[in-house]
Amino acid sequence: MESLEDTTWDVLIAGTGLQQSLLALALSRSGKKILHVDRNTYYGGAHAAFSLQEAQDWVNTIDSHDGSSSFVDATLKQPMKVPDIISSSIKPTTLSFSRAYSLSLSPQVIYTRSTLLPNLVSSKIYRQLDFQAVGSWWIYVSGDAETPGASAQASSETSSGRSQGDKQAGYLRRVPNGREDVFADKSIDLKSKRSLMKFLKFVGDYENQPESWKSETSNPFPEFLSTRFGLPAALHSPLLALTLTPNKPHDTTTGFALPRIARHLRSIGVFGPGFASVVAKWGGGSEIAQVACRAAAVGGAVYVLGNGIQSIDRVRESLDKTEEEAEESKELVEVILTRGEKVRTNWIIGGDDDIPLSSTLTLHPQTPSDDSKQHDQRRSISVVSSSLSSLFPVLAEGAPPPAASVVIFPSESLSETSSKNPTDVSPPVHILAHSSDTGECPSGQCVLYASITASTENGYGLLDIALKRLLDCAEEKEQPAEVLWSMHYQQQSQRSTFVSRQQQTGSKSSENVLVFPSLALDLAFDDNILEQVREVWQKITAVDPESEFMVFEDRQGFETDANNGD
């Protein structure tokens, strides 16, 4: 077998994040020689999923400043000792062995109308993935909050325990999941129901009614709801929850909110009654990245972990080619890897964290494209000693049991003042709750992923307050919920938005070094990722723009193997 240095590679992909892994999948049937490296010793990049020990190792790496620049300020709290061996005597109230957990650094929901899902099907890797329903969306209502109707305690709400701080006891209120839920919700008065139904009808076809919203694209969404539809303030939070906005209500624009609410509503019922989104089992985006890389390896790609790009020294003219061939081909790029190998390749593709900056590289300036891409996020992961089953009710007859739910603490629910000024409140806290059915924790436990905009004063403190209030509301009397293990960290936001970077040598210039934009810190999968991958795939393969993308036939012998493994 030829060494890395002896092979002239068509493509060198740096990093195994979602973009790079999906690109490797897209190129897996191209016949090109692909070298796929990652300076980390794990797959997934910013979407990596860790066991407890791997999470500890990752925190130590971040602390030593040797890790990914996407993350900083990582700390770990482990009140309980992790068992050294697998034991059937381990109870839900104690931590299990390290590899019983698969904790995602960047958890996301995938809407059922996302373009990712049909691409996973057409590329044939769907058989190696398992997707599970995201069920209820909840908002936390503090005890002193206004309600839109006479009854604050409907059958779709869960409440127990006491709130913390200066708020009265709060409860979780389920966000209506469609017209039937709206009419059945006793906490909404008749007038408000009519206004809400009018809005839901509008948002289902908002693109064809530009006269109703185009002039208010940049206006705060709550103002739009009040002035255009007469919706009371108490109904703003459920609708804002569906946008997954990281911003304060006043900073969430109408142009940002409408397509996101439409995305949610249009996704309900696509794969079954009641739910609009799914999560990938065993670690979310990390599992998708690993399956994509396995498919690329079957196609001949060579994988090397723990070995990234150290430097891109120079661009050389292609060797051993005729003048015509040299004219048609790209120049070869010489790369030195972190283990010292020097390799030659026609193309280099990676992310900001994977391709080092130097005086010969020009990084395009940042141009954020929407509200969700402008803020760092403070995050926490908590393993809880309860299944919190009240968070995962079956949504409709015939619907699958959900494995995840979304809990939103609206801005006003965590504010320590009663100010009416919309700028005085904190940003919302989002908590993605994953049951053991996701494969991320043992039976009888639950994983809670919390996040808030990093610029928030006392951000980690607000995450802890939200977590405590959630446990007060959702814990089961027979099984009190305790935090067995937790980790705090900060994820940095988008730093570049272009997919090309030029390397210049003297007067010559080539565009065969391409850089994916940093991922938006969104709680829902961004379909723009696939567009970025497709653009790079087209550059490398020089195919017709109308060519089918990631549409493959079954490999001979693999379809049977895959089906036998189900």
Side-chain angles (χ1 to χ4, degrees):
M1 180 179 177
E2 292 183 327
S3 68
L4 300 183
E5 293 182 326
D6 292 335
T7 303
T8 298
W9 303 95
D10 295 308
V11 185
L12 188 157
I13 303 176
T16 56
L18 270 179
Q19 295 145 306
Q20 298 99 312
S21 299
L22 290 171
L23 176 63
L25 172 63
L27 293 170
S28 63
R29 307 291 183 98
S30 66
K32 295 187 178 297
K33 294 182 179 180
I34 300 171
L35 174 61
H36 199 164
V37 302
D38 195 325
R39 60 191 175 86
N40 297 311
T41 57
Y42 51 82
Y43 288 91
H47 283 84
F50 296 139
S51 67
L52 297 184
Q53 183 57 55
E54 289 167 341
Q56 176 68 72
D57 296 341
W58 179 78
V59 167
N60 294 338
T61 301
I62 297 299
D63 289 344
S64 65
H65 304 287
D66 293 332
S68 168
S69 60
S70 293
F71 298 96
V72 295
D73 192 24
T75 59
L76 189 147
K77 298 179 181 179
Q78 185 176 301
M80 304 192 68
K81 182 180 178 181
V82 180
D84 296 326
I85 59 174
I86 301 175
S87 172
S88 58
S89 64
I90 294 175
K91 300 178 180 180
T93 53
T94 61
L95 281 176
S96 186
F97 61 96
S98 174
R99 300 204 69 82
Y101 301 87
S102 182
L103 308 176
S104 174
L105 288 179
S106 304
Q108 291 182 314
V109 301
I110 303 171
Y111 277 101
T112 58
R113 289 198 179 274
S114 168
T115 56
L116 174 65
L117 299 178
N119 276 276
L120 297 179
V121 172
S122 65
S123 63
K124 309 304 181 186
I125 69 169
Y126 70 97
R127 298 188 185 95
Q128 302 171 55
L129 294 165
D130 187 357
F131 290 96
Q132 296 177 310
V134 177
S136 298
W137 291 52
W138 306 89
I139 57 170
Y140 178 82
V141 181
S142 57
D144 56 357
E146 296 179 6
T147 59
S151 173
Q153 298 287 338
S155 59
S156 60
E157 295 159 2
T158 176
S159 177
S160 66
R162 301 179 181 276
S163 66
Q164 302 298 304
D166 62 347
K167 294 289 183 182
Q168 300 174 18
Y171 61 93
L172 297 180
R173 177 182 172 203
R174 193 163 71 84
V175 177
N177 206 31
R179 290 176 173 81
E180 294 79 6
D181 280 354
V182 171
F183 283 116
D185 194 332
K186 297 178 182 179
S187 70
I188 307 176
D189 62 41
L190 184 58
K191 180 180 179 180
S192 297
K193 285 182 180 180
R194 289 173 178 167
S195 298
L196 182 55
M197 291 304 302
K198 182 180 177 181
F199 171 77
L200 294 178
K201 182 179 180 180
F202 156 76
V203 80
D205 189 43
Y206 80 97
E207 297 97 333
N208 294 321
Q209 304 175 61
E211 70 282 356
S212 298
W213 62 277
K214 276 289 187 181
S215 62
E216 300 188 53
T217 298
S218 301
N219 293 345
F221 183 54
E223 289 184 10
F224 176 76
L225 293 175
S226 296
T227 58
R228 288 282 182 173
F229 296 94
L231 282 168
L235 288 179
H236 294 177
S237 290
L239 294 173
L240 284 164
L242 298 182
T243 71
L244 293 174
T245 177
N247 300 323
K248 302 175 183 179
H250 191 74
D251 295 329
T252 300
T253 65
T254 301
F256 173 82
L258 291 180
R260 287 170 166 252
I261 295 175
R263 172 184 65 180
H264 182 95
L265 297 177
R266 292 167 183 172
S267 296
I268 297 174
V270 171
F271 294 137
F275 68 96
S277 56
V278 296
V279 292
K281 193 173 181 178
W282 309 117
S286 172
E287 184 69 6
I288 296 173
Q290 290 188 62
V291 169
C293 289
R294 285 199 293 268
V298 170
V302 174
Y303 279 81
V304 184
L305 298 184
N307 198 11
I309 295 178
Q310 178 173 306
S311 63
I312 304 172
D313 278 356
R314 56 196 176 116
V315 178
R316 292 177 50 180
E317 298 293 340
S318 299
L319 303 177
D320 303 325
K321 290 180 180 282
T322 66
E323 184 176 340
E324 182 179 354
E325 290 172 332
E327 180 67 24
E328 292 177 355
S329 67
K330 290 286 184 181
E331 297 170 328
L332 285 176
V333 182
E334 292 192 348
V335 178
I336 298 179
L337 302 179
T338 52
R339 292 182 185 172
E341 302 99 324
K342 181 181 290 186
V343 300
R344 297 182 300 171
T345 180
N346 283 295
W347 291 93
I348 301 175
I349 300 94
D352 275 350
D353 295 337
D354 306 297
I355 298 181
L357 288 172
S358 71
S359 59
T360 62
L361 290 176
T362 302
L363 178 63
H364 291 276
Q366 178 179 351
T367 53
S369 56
D370 64 47
D371 309 51
S372 69
K373 300 179 181 179
Q374 301 178 37
H375 305 291
D376 294 358
Q377 294 285 305
R378 285 182 178 161
R379 298 183 181 271
S380 72
I381 304 175
S382 300
V383 176
V384 178
S385 66
S386 170
S387 61
L388 301 183
S389 59
S390 63
L391 295 179
F392 309 103
V394 175
L395 294 178
E397 184 177 353
S405 67
V406 182
V407 184
I408 297 94
F409 284 74
S411 296
E412 65 276 8
S413 70
L414 294 174
S415 298
E416 297 183 359
T417 68
S418 58
S419 173
K420 298 297 183 180
N421 188 337
T423 62
D424 288 343
V425 297
S426 66
V429 168
H430 294 85
I431 299 180
L432 303 184
H434 287 198
S435 76
S436 60
D437 289 340
T438 62
E440 297 175 13
C441 64
S443 177
Q445 297 182 4
C446 185
V447 181
L448 302 178
Y449 299 97
S451 61
I452 191 173
T453 298
S455 59
T456 308
E457 186 176 353
N458 190 30
Y460 291 132
L462 290 176
L463 293 182
D464 290 340
I465 291 173
L467 180 67
K468 181 63 171 67
R469 291 182 180 176
L470 171 58
L471 296 182
D472 285 345
C473 290
E475 70 178 356
E476 301 160 0
K477 293 181 180 179
E478 302 80 11
Q479 187 180 354
E482 296 180 87
V483 176
L484 303 177
W485 182 99
S486 67
M487 180 169 71
H488 288 170
Y489 56 98
Q490 181 169 320
Q491 186 171 7
Q492 301 189 97
S493 62
Q494 197 169 30
R495 294 173 301 286
S496 65
T497 56
F498 287 75
V499 293
S500 63
R501 180 185 282 174
Q502 290 188 347
Q503 175 166 345
Q504 299 175 339
T505 304
S507 61
K508 296 182 178 180
S509 173
S510 67
E511 295 185 354
N512 51 354
V513 179
L514 305 179
V515 181
F516 281 119
S518 301
L519 295 172
L521 305 188
D522 202 325
L523 293 176
F525 177 82
D526 183 1
D527 283 351
N528 287 326
I529 287 176
L530 281 173
E531 291 304 313
Q532 297 159 6
V533 171
R534 183 184 184 114
E535 180 180 346
V536 174
W537 170 76
Q538 287 176 337
K539 283 179 178 288
I540 293 172
T541 59
V543 297
D544 186 281
E546 301 302 319
S547 298
E548 290 184 324
F549 176 59
M550 287 209 295
V551 178
F552 304 145
E553 297 294 329
D554 281 306
R555 293 186 186 273
Q556 188 174 1
F558 279 86
E559 181 178 8
T560 301
D561 293 342
N563 290 335
N564 288 340
D566 289 342

